[in-house]
Amino acid sequence: MELKYIVPDKEKTFGAINFLGYNRERFQYDRVNNRRTDILEARVYNLGSSGQGGQIEVTIPGDVELKEIDFNEPVELVNPMITSSAQANGNFATVRWTVTADDIVSLKSRSANTGSNSAAKSLNPSGDDKK
């Protein structure tokens, strides 16, 4: 069995997560021509994690729209995964952990959307629109 990635328990691993900002874009690399292409591969965001005691970088696929989230706003990761890579240096190795996710969702906008839908249902619980 090959271990490809780790699926963390979001609450235990990350704790409360806050949005700190946009970090950078990562583009695909053409190994044949030995140069970077203009094809967006991923975006990297900085998040604050109470479970990790500081800032973490999270990579989101490039086809997900750019996030416009306020600084220090509570967020949630959708389907996070943790991968590792190592670089040998003599008798030692440096391990790099990478957190990837399908998306970053603002908890504030999620609760606002849920609240507006429940408010509309409470005004007209039968669901039929009578005028």
Side-chain angles (χ1 to χ4, degrees), residues 40-102:
L40 181 64
E41 184 176 44
R43 291 186 177 96
V44 180
Y45 295 90
N46 295 331
L47 304 178
S49 167
S50 66
Q52 295 301 310
Q55 178 178 302
I56 59 172
E57 287 186 350
V58 177
T59 304
I60 304 297
D63 58 349
V64 176
E65 66 184 37
L66 181 67
K67 299 296 168 187
E68 299 290 336
I69 301 174
D70 292 335
F71 178 77
N72 213 22
E73 187 172 321
V75 293
E76 181 180 41
L77 297 176
V78 177
N79 298 326
M81 295 182 296
I82 301 173
T83 57
S84 65
S85 60
Q87 181 177 3
N89 185 10
N91 291 334
F92 301 96
T94 303
V95 178
R96 181 170 185 247
W97 296 95
T98 304
V99 179
T100 59
D102 291 343

Side-chain angles (χ1 to χ4, degrees), residues 117-130:
N117 290 342
S118 63
K121 288 179 183 176
S122 65
L123 291 176
N124 188 1
S126 65
D128 57 329
D129 293 328
K130 296 181 182 177

Side-chain angles (χ1 to χ4, degrees), residues 21-58:
Y22 178 67
N23 188 328
R24 66 185 179 277
E25 294 175 334
R26 193 173 71 210
F27 292 90
Q28 287 183 355
Y29 191 77
D30 183 358
R31 295 187 190 280
V32 174
N33 296 321
N34 208 22
R35 65 180 180 91
R36 187 192 87 171
T37 66
D38 291 334
I39 302 170
L40 181 64
E41 184 176 44
R43 291 186 177 96
V44 180
Y45 295 90
N46 295 331
L47 304 178
S49 167
S50 66
Q52 295 301 310
Q55 178 178 302
I56 59 172
E57 287 186 350
V58 177

